[in-house]
Amino acid sequence: MCNQHHDESTSASSTTVSETIPATETPASSNDPSDPHSCDLGLWPDNISNSMREYWATKGSSDCSNSDADFSATSTLLEGDKYKRQCQKSMFTYTHQLTKEQHLRTWLCYSPSQHALYCFACKLMTDVFVFGKQGCTDWKHASQQISRHERSSNHRQAMVQLLQRSDANSRVDAELVKQTKTEREYWCSVLEQAVETICLLGERGLAFRGSDEVVGSAKNGNYLGVWELVAKFNPFLVQHIKLHANKGTGSHIVSV
């Protein structure tokens, strides 16, 4: 009887103690897709809220890059290939055409969960499918797709929208802001000189075009002739014409 009473008392005591201990809450995972602070773009929700855009526009993309991640999970042997292909660290850099300097593609982010590449700006600001909603996993053509994407109008618009939401002085990815500003100033300078040339010829009633549009030709007309003349004394135009002249049909020296 005493033993039975003792067991019941012990059981009751244990029950009381266990009921008074609060349950430990499991902290929310930083990889939760509903968490706007997740550094894995592959886990971001499809519908981005304005508050999430503001947060990441101010914070920048550096925490989401994952350019030093282990890419072995992306290794794939495609049909017809002798070697496996995978995401490469070299994809996160590019050589600037004008300065020949190496720059980081700070907009490019790797998702460890989806094993895919995303565009930070397009994921936040647009509905672009590849590099946005889906991510790029075509490792055979990834380098070409990355280059094509960063020249696309959707990407440029997304970058402009992202910069408009951010304070350039407090951005973590200040280099990205600087690169975009340099590109914008470059093409504004080209456009300004093109407009001045057009005004000069228009005021004097001179014909613009010649019998061809080849830079270096004596028959390319007054417009290209003025550009070639000014370029003799302007290193900026020398470099610009060297990069963009005679590329396909027409001169393209004022093409963006």
Side-chain angles (χ1 to χ4, degrees), residues 93-107:
T93 60
Y94 74 99
T95 302
H96 198 285
Q97 280 190 336
L98 304 177
T99 64
K100 305 304 179 184
E101 295 178 349
Q102 283 276 325
H103 293 281
L104 291 175
R105 284 189 170 106
T106 50
W107 57 267

Side-chain angles (χ1 to χ4, degrees), residues 14 19 28 34 42 59 66 88 92 100 102 109 113 131 142-143 147 152 155 157 159 165 167 186 193 196 208:
S14 300
E19 289 176 350
S34 63
K59 186 175 179 62
N66 298 312
Q88 302 287 342
F92 292 83
K100 305 304 179 184
Q102 283 276 325
C109 301
S113 66
F131 290 103
S143 295
S147 297
S152 68
H155 175 72
Q157 290 173 8
M159 291 297 300
R165 283 179 173 263
D167 179 3
Y186 175 87
Q193 295 184 61
E196 290 297 328
F208 281 55

Side-chain angles (χ1 to χ4, degrees), residues 189-206:
S189 179
V190 171
L191 181 60
E192 181 181 2
Q193 295 184 61
V195 170
E196 290 297 328
T197 304
I198 292 171
C199 290
L200 174 69
L201 298 179
E203 289 172 352
R204 287 159 176 75
L206 299 175

Side-chain angles (χ1 to χ4, degrees), residues 98 181-197 223 227 230 234-238 240 253-254 256:
L98 304 177
K181 182 180 179 182
T182 300
E183 290 284 344
R184 183 171 63 248
E185 291 176 348
Y186 175 87
W187 288 111
C188 283
S189 179
V190 171
L191 181 60
E192 181 181 2
Q193 295 184 61
V195 170
E196 290 297 328
T197 304
Y223 178 76
W227 276 72
V230 176
N234 188 325
F236 172 83
L237 282 186
V238 171
H240 178 73
I253 61 174
V254 294
V256 296

Side-chain angles (χ1 to χ4, degrees), residues 113-169:
S113 66
Q114 304 300 317
H115 311 306
L117 291 173
Y118 290 87
C119 173
F120 181 79
C122 292
K123 183 72 172 177
L124 274 180
M125 300 296 174
T126 72
D127 292 326
V128 171
F129 191 64
V130 179
F131 290 103
K133 291 185 178 297
Q134 182 190 46
C136 175
T137 57
D138 181 3
W139 306 119
K140 185 174 183 177
H141 305 101
S143 295
Q144 296 93 319
Q145 289 189 4
I146 290 170
S147 297
R148 191 182 307 120
H149 176 76
E150 65 186 348
R151 295 195 303 268
S152 68
S153 59
N154 284 332
H155 175 72
R156 292 182 178 183
Q157 290 173 8
M159 291 297 300
V160 170
Q161 293 174 19
L162 184 62
L163 292 175
Q164 287 175 343
R165 283 179 173 263
S166 65
D167 179 3
N169 293 324

Side-chain angles (χ1 to χ4, degrees), residues 204-215:
R204 287 159 176 75
L206 299 175
F208 281 55
R209 304 177 67 177
S211 58
D212 63 49
E213 296 181 358
V214 179
V215 173

Side-chain angles (χ1 to χ4, degrees), residues 165-178:
R165 283 179 173 263
S166 65
D167 179 3
N169 293 324
S170 62
R171 288 292 295 269
V172 174
D173 56 345
E175 183 181 358
L176 176 60
V177 177
K178 182 179 178 181

